[in-house]
Amino acid sequence: MIDARMFRQGNSFMPRLSSPALLAGLLSLTLASGAMADSGITGELGLGLGYQPHDPTGSSYDTVPLPYMDLDWGDVSLNGDDGLTWDAFKSNGLSIGPYINYLQGRNSDGALRGLRDVRDMADIGAFIEYAPEDFWRLFAAVGQAVGGAGGQGGVLGKVGGEIGYPLGLGIIGSNNLTLHFADGRQSQTFFGVDAKESLASGIGQYNASGGMQNFTLSQNFHFPLGDNWALVASASWTRLVNSAADSTIVRDKGEVNQGQVQTAISYKF
């Protein structure tokens, strides 16, 4: 995704497109807090479009409007990839702290009719990042999905790395590789099918297990347009693995290999 922090410009990586509802609320909270601070919020805001899977199984694709943000207020940051984060500890390129992010649910219609809906949830946890230079970083995070319906949610995490590079004429490129993990409960939320759902949907019953769910490789670009405006574009490939790839939903209705493209216009202030 253009989901934030592709390449460092000063103290922040080049931003990505954000997830919708919760981040919009977090943005409002951050802006309200920043208005009362002596030092204002800095960063980029914009709007774009994404063509992306409807849910983690890749059952269908949606074209959706996406806000774009990469905001900093002291040690607090808000961006589309990591959500709202606080660098509680920073030293020699190492950052550790808590975060809250948005976890999109699914409407079980169309190809998924008969499965239960999954509510939008909050992902609350802690992160660690090591970025001793301006053009690369390593990161990991672990969190708990909260706010789901009965039995939904669980533990999820990610580990990855990112490297950025200038391409000339002010254009910046970046590559990101991220591995995503989940426990059995979180895997079952999106990839499992119980007996009742199987009867209603015609999809075979399946109990998903925990472990690595997928890995995602992204190629990102930032094109300056002048007067603080920029065009941001991203293309990503996701490969489901292990229990996620073996899900009957994926085999019958979804895709093991999934793609995603996003683009946005942003303004730096």
Side-chain angles (χ1 to χ4, degrees):
M1 295 177 63
I2 310 183
D3 0 253
R5 304 198 176 191
M6 293 192 289
F7 183 77
R8 281 188 176 266
Q9 296 177 317
N11 292 322
S12 62
F13 282 84
M14 195 172 80
R16 296 168 180 252
L17 291 176
S18 74
S19 306
L22 180 62
L23 288 186
L26 294 175
L27 172 61
S28 298
L29 176 61
T30 306
L31 289 175
S33 301
M36 296 182 290
D38 292 335
S39 58
I41 295 174
T42 61
E44 294 189 47
L45 281 175
L47 185 65
L49 286 175
Y51 180 71
Q52 59 195 39
H54 174 72
D55 72 297
T57 66
S59 60
S60 62
Y61 282 74
D62 300 323
T63 300
V64 294
L66 293 173
Y68 174 86
M69 60 188 71
D70 182 31
L71 303 174
D72 293 295
W73 176 41
D75 292 331
V76 176
S77 299
L78 177 65
N79 61 64
D81 188 18
D82 302 319
L84 185 66
T85 62
W86 173 41
D87 292 335
F89 172 83
K90 289 198 304 184
S91 177
N92 298 319
L94 181 67
S95 299
I96 302 173
Y99 74 87
I100 178 171
N101 207 348
Y102 168 83
L103 183 63
Q104 184 174 343
R106 75 171 182 217
N107 294 319
S108 297
D109 51 12
L112 301 182
R113 190 174 304 278
L115 301 179
R116 62 177 178 167
D117 292 341
V118 177
R119 291 180 183 174
D120 295 348
M121 290 177 274
D123 171 17
I124 302 174
F127 73 92
I128 181 170
E129 177 178 293
Y130 182 60
E133 302 291 344
D134 284 349
F135 57 89
W136 69 273
R137 69 173 182 134
L138 300 173
F139 56 87
V142 61
Q144 175 76 38
V146 298
Q152 296 180 355
V155 177
L156 63 164
K158 63 181 180 180
V159 176
E162 193 162 37
I163 184 168
Y165 40 85
L167 297 172
L169 301 177
I171 302 170
I172 298 172
S174 171
N175 293 103
N176 179 300
L177 176 63
T178 304
L179 283 60
H180 293 92
F181 302 84
D183 67 356
R185 181 182 173 191
Q186 178 66 19
S187 297
Q188 185 72 10
T189 296
F190 286 100
F191 296 98
V193 182
D194 63 24
K196 183 178 179 181
E197 291 175 301
S198 179
L199 184 63
S201 66
I203 300 173
Q205 190 171 346
Y206 183 74
N207 292 316
S209 59
M212 182 176 168
Q213 274 193 347
N214 70 66
F215 61 86
T216 298
L217 179 64
S218 299
Q219 173 67 66
N220 313 291
F221 296 101
H222 185 279
F223 302 92
L225 300 178
D227 295 328
N228 295 328
W229 291 94
L231 171 68
V232 182
S234 174
S236 300
W237 169 63
T238 295
R239 170 80 179 188
L240 299 181
V241 297
N242 301 329
S243 179
D246 293 336
S247 168
T248 52
I249 306 174
V250 176
R251 293 204 304 265
D252 293 354
K253 307 294 184 179
E255 299 180 7
V256 171
N257 294 293
Q258 302 172 16
Q260 179 173 308
V261 292
Q262 298 178 333
T263 187
I265 298 292
S266 72
Y267 182 81
K268 184 176 182 179
F269 59 93

